[in-house]
Amino acid sequence: MLHLKRQDFDDLDHVYRINMMNSCSGFKSANLIGTKSNDGTPNVAVFSSVTHLGSNPPLLGIVFRPVSDVPRNTYENIKETGQFTVNHIHLDIIEQAHHTSAKYDKSISEFDITKLEEEYKNDWHAPFVKGAPIQMALTYCEEYLIKANNTIQLIAEIKDLYIQNDIVEDDGFVNLAKANIVAINGLDGYALPSLKQRIEYQRPKK
């Protein structure tokens, strides 16, 4: 088994280290975040850092890399408008979704570059990704600077939730596997999970 100590990390090739550190923590959610600037330019970008933070109120967290490094159009649009969408990536759009990681100027919409399509619902300012099995409309709540690496943890509340009818089970469980929703391994590895088993709530053994 490969064993690396903390002091070994700095000696690794840059790309090798990035790939290893981004993949060793496990599979991550694969989402497209849709935003629109105040001047009306739509933006869509792939994110693997969306996490559940709570059910009541329904909160999600997203980690943003340092804003000072390169332009962060998604983050800037969210701060401008206070609104965005989260859309699950499914098997049929992997390549189109991944291309949104390319760094385009803020004046260029990734919807125009890829085959992804905008969709608007309920007068929401930010675009949804048409055909996504799960679509969420969120509003900005607050953010925290993570001093250890100068990243930003942004907190947002779900205001509208759209879910493909046939993937919602009787108890409210959303079966992602039924919709071919993918996960991300590292930065560029896409996996198609399959549901093997659900296990009931566990209590201490008597």
Side-chain angles (χ1 to χ4, degrees), residues 127-140:
F128 297 89
V129 176
K130 187 175 181 178
I134 299 176
Q135 302 168 321
M136 293 173 271
L138 299 98
T139 54
Y140 173 94

Side-chain angles (χ1 to χ4, degrees), residues 37-172:
S37 63
N38 277 332
D39 66 9
T41 303
N43 175 277
V44 63
V46 60
F47 276 77
S48 62
S49 62
V50 177
T51 55
H52 166 82
L53 294 181
S55 300
N56 188 23
L59 300 179
L60 297 182
I62 305 103
V63 175
F64 287 88
R65 302 304 302 172
V67 180
S68 58
D69 286 2
V70 296
R72 303 290 177 185
N73 299 334
T74 299
Y75 174 78
E76 292 169 3
N77 287 346
I78 292 173
K79 292 302 294 284
E80 275 185 20
T81 67
Q83 292 187 358
F84 64 100
T85 70
V86 171
N87 310 266
H88 283 252
I89 298 173
H90 57 95
L91 190 61
D92 294 339
I93 63 168
I94 289 176
E95 291 188 12
Q96 300 300 315
H98 188 70
H99 185 70
T100 64
S101 62
K103 305 301 181 187
Y104 285 100
D105 184 81
K106 191 174 182 178
S107 63
I108 298 174
S109 171
E110 291 81 3
F111 285 108
D112 294 333
I113 301 298
T114 67
K115 295 180 181 179
L116 300 171
E117 296 182 55
E118 300 169 66
E119 183 176 20
Y120 292 91
K121 299 181 178 184
N122 200 27
D123 295 324
W124 200 252
H125 178 74
F128 297 89
V129 176
K130 187 175 181 178
I134 299 176
Q135 302 168 321
M136 293 173 271
L138 299 98
T139 54
Y140 173 94
C141 292
E142 55 190 308
E143 65 183 52
Y144 299 91
L145 174 65
I146 301 174
K147 296 179 181 179
N149 63 353
N150 200 35
T151 55
I152 294 171
Q153 172 78 65
L154 186 145
I155 314 299
E157 182 174 0
I158 301 173
K159 295 298 186 180
D160 291 286
L161 174 61
Y162 304 91
I163 307 175
Q164 185 176 304
N165 286 327
D166 61 349
I167 67 174
V168 182
E169 307 290 358
D170 291 340
D171 63 352

Side-chain angles (χ1 to χ4, degrees), residues 27-41:
F27 289 107
K28 297 171 286 188
S29 63
N31 294 288
L32 287 165
I33 293 183
T35 61
K36 181 184 279 189
S37 63
N38 277 332
D39 66 9
T41 303

